Short mmCIF file of all heavy atoms in Angstrom, two decimals:
data_model
loop_
_atom_site.label_atom_id
_atom_site.label_comp_id
_atom_site.label_asym_id
_atom_site.label_seq_id
_atom_site.Cartn_x
_atom_site.Cartn_y
_atom_site.Cartn_z
N ASP A 12 -51.87 -69.13 2.05
CA ASP A 12 -53.20 -69.65 1.65
C ASP A 12 -54.10 -69.78 2.87
O ASP A 12 -54.51 -70.88 3.25
CB ASP A 12 -53.05 -70.97 0.89
CG ASP A 12 -52.33 -72.06 1.65
OD1 ASP A 12 -51.58 -71.74 2.60
OD2 ASP A 12 -52.50 -73.26 1.32
N TRP A 13 -54.49 -68.65 3.42
CA TRP A 13 -55.23 -68.68 4.69
C TRP A 13 -56.65 -69.20 4.52
O TRP A 13 -57.29 -69.57 5.52
CB TRP A 13 -55.23 -67.30 5.34
CG TRP A 13 -55.97 -66.20 4.63
CD1 TRP A 13 -55.45 -65.23 3.84
CD2 TRP A 13 -57.38 -65.92 4.71
NE1 TRP A 13 -56.42 -64.37 3.39
CE2 TRP A 13 -57.62 -64.78 3.92
CE3 TRP A 13 -58.46 -66.53 5.35
CZ2 TRP A 13 -58.89 -64.22 3.76
CZ3 TRP A 13 -59.73 -65.99 5.19
CH2 TRP A 13 -59.93 -64.84 4.41
N GLN A 14 -57.16 -69.27 3.29
CA GLN A 14 -58.50 -69.82 3.09
C GLN A 14 -58.50 -71.35 3.04
O GLN A 14 -59.57 -71.96 2.92
CB GLN A 14 -59.10 -69.24 1.81
CG GLN A 14 -59.36 -67.74 1.91
CD GLN A 14 -59.92 -67.16 0.62
OE1 GLN A 14 -60.27 -67.88 -0.31
NE2 GLN A 14 -60.01 -65.84 0.56
N HIS A 15 -57.34 -71.98 3.12
CA HIS A 15 -57.28 -73.45 3.19
C HIS A 15 -58.05 -73.91 4.43
O HIS A 15 -57.89 -73.33 5.52
CB HIS A 15 -55.83 -73.89 3.27
CG HIS A 15 -55.64 -75.37 3.15
ND1 HIS A 15 -55.89 -76.24 4.20
CD2 HIS A 15 -55.23 -76.15 2.12
CE1 HIS A 15 -55.63 -77.47 3.82
NE2 HIS A 15 -55.24 -77.45 2.56
N PRO A 16 -58.87 -74.93 4.32
CA PRO A 16 -59.71 -75.35 5.46
C PRO A 16 -58.92 -75.63 6.73
O PRO A 16 -59.36 -75.27 7.84
CB PRO A 16 -60.41 -76.61 4.95
CG PRO A 16 -60.46 -76.43 3.47
CD PRO A 16 -59.21 -75.70 3.10
N ALA A 17 -57.76 -76.26 6.61
CA ALA A 17 -56.98 -76.58 7.81
C ALA A 17 -56.45 -75.31 8.48
O ALA A 17 -56.41 -75.23 9.72
CB ALA A 17 -55.82 -77.51 7.46
N VAL A 18 -56.06 -74.34 7.67
CA VAL A 18 -55.56 -73.08 8.24
C VAL A 18 -56.70 -72.33 8.92
O VAL A 18 -56.55 -71.80 10.03
CB VAL A 18 -54.90 -72.22 7.15
CG1 VAL A 18 -54.46 -70.87 7.72
CG2 VAL A 18 -53.70 -72.95 6.55
N LEU A 19 -57.84 -72.28 8.27
CA LEU A 19 -58.99 -71.61 8.87
C LEU A 19 -59.39 -72.26 10.19
O LEU A 19 -59.66 -71.58 11.18
CB LEU A 19 -60.18 -71.64 7.90
CG LEU A 19 -60.18 -70.61 6.78
CD1 LEU A 19 -61.31 -70.92 5.80
CD2 LEU A 19 -60.34 -69.20 7.34
N THR A 20 -59.41 -73.57 10.21
CA THR A 20 -59.79 -74.29 11.43
C THR A 20 -58.81 -73.99 12.55
O THR A 20 -59.21 -73.71 13.70
CB THR A 20 -59.85 -75.80 11.16
OG1 THR A 20 -60.87 -76.07 10.20
CG2 THR A 20 -60.15 -76.57 12.44
N LYS A 21 -57.53 -74.04 12.26
CA LYS A 21 -56.52 -73.77 13.29
C LYS A 21 -56.59 -72.31 13.76
O LYS A 21 -56.47 -72.03 14.96
CB LYS A 21 -55.13 -74.10 12.77
CG LYS A 21 -53.99 -73.81 13.74
CD LYS A 21 -54.17 -74.49 15.10
CE LYS A 21 -54.02 -76.00 14.99
NZ LYS A 21 -54.04 -76.65 16.33
N ALA A 22 -56.82 -71.39 12.83
CA ALA A 22 -56.90 -69.98 13.20
C ALA A 22 -58.06 -69.73 14.15
O ALA A 22 -57.92 -68.99 15.14
CB ALA A 22 -57.06 -69.13 11.94
N ARG A 23 -59.18 -70.36 13.89
CA ARG A 23 -60.35 -70.19 14.77
C ARG A 23 -60.12 -70.87 16.12
O ARG A 23 -60.50 -70.34 17.16
CB ARG A 23 -61.59 -70.75 14.09
CG ARG A 23 -62.01 -69.94 12.87
CD ARG A 23 -63.03 -70.68 12.02
NE ARG A 23 -63.41 -69.90 10.84
CZ ARG A 23 -63.93 -70.42 9.74
NH1 ARG A 23 -64.13 -71.74 9.67
NH2 ARG A 23 -64.25 -69.66 8.70
N GLU A 24 -59.49 -72.03 16.08
CA GLU A 24 -59.21 -72.75 17.32
C GLU A 24 -58.28 -71.94 18.22
O GLU A 24 -58.50 -71.83 19.44
CB GLU A 24 -58.56 -74.08 16.97
CG GLU A 24 -58.04 -74.88 18.15
CD GLU A 24 -57.19 -76.06 17.69
OE1 GLU A 24 -57.65 -76.80 16.80
OE2 GLU A 24 -56.07 -76.23 18.22
N LEU A 25 -57.26 -71.35 17.63
CA LEU A 25 -56.27 -70.61 18.43
C LEU A 25 -56.86 -69.36 19.06
O LEU A 25 -56.42 -68.96 20.15
CB LEU A 25 -55.09 -70.22 17.54
CG LEU A 25 -54.16 -71.34 17.10
CD1 LEU A 25 -53.18 -70.84 16.04
CD2 LEU A 25 -53.38 -71.90 18.31
N THR A 26 -57.80 -68.74 18.40
CA THR A 26 -58.29 -67.44 18.88
C THR A 26 -59.65 -67.52 19.55
O THR A 26 -60.21 -66.49 19.93
CB THR A 26 -58.34 -66.45 17.71
OG1 THR A 26 -59.20 -66.97 16.68
CG2 THR A 26 -56.95 -66.23 17.13
N ASP A 27 -60.16 -68.70 19.71
CA ASP A 27 -61.45 -68.85 20.39
C ASP A 27 -61.37 -68.27 21.79
O ASP A 27 -60.52 -68.66 22.59
CB ASP A 27 -61.83 -70.33 20.46
CG ASP A 27 -63.19 -70.55 21.08
OD1 ASP A 27 -64.10 -69.76 20.80
OD2 ASP A 27 -63.33 -71.50 21.88
N GLY A 28 -62.24 -67.32 22.08
CA GLY A 28 -62.27 -66.71 23.40
C GLY A 28 -61.28 -65.59 23.61
O GLY A 28 -61.20 -65.03 24.72
N ALA A 29 -60.50 -65.22 22.60
CA ALA A 29 -59.54 -64.13 22.75
C ALA A 29 -60.27 -62.83 23.02
O ALA A 29 -61.32 -62.56 22.44
CB ALA A 29 -58.68 -64.00 21.49
N SER A 30 -59.71 -62.01 23.89
CA SER A 30 -60.38 -60.78 24.30
C SER A 30 -60.32 -59.69 23.24
O SER A 30 -61.20 -58.83 23.19
CB SER A 30 -59.77 -60.26 25.60
OG SER A 30 -58.38 -60.00 25.44
#
Side-chain angles (χ1 to χ4, degrees):
D12 58 339
W13 67 260
Q14 294 178 9
H15 188 283
V18 177
L19 280 172
T20 297
K21 178 55 69 173
R23 292 167 181 158
E24 172 190 311
L25 289 170
T26 58
D27 183 40
S30 59

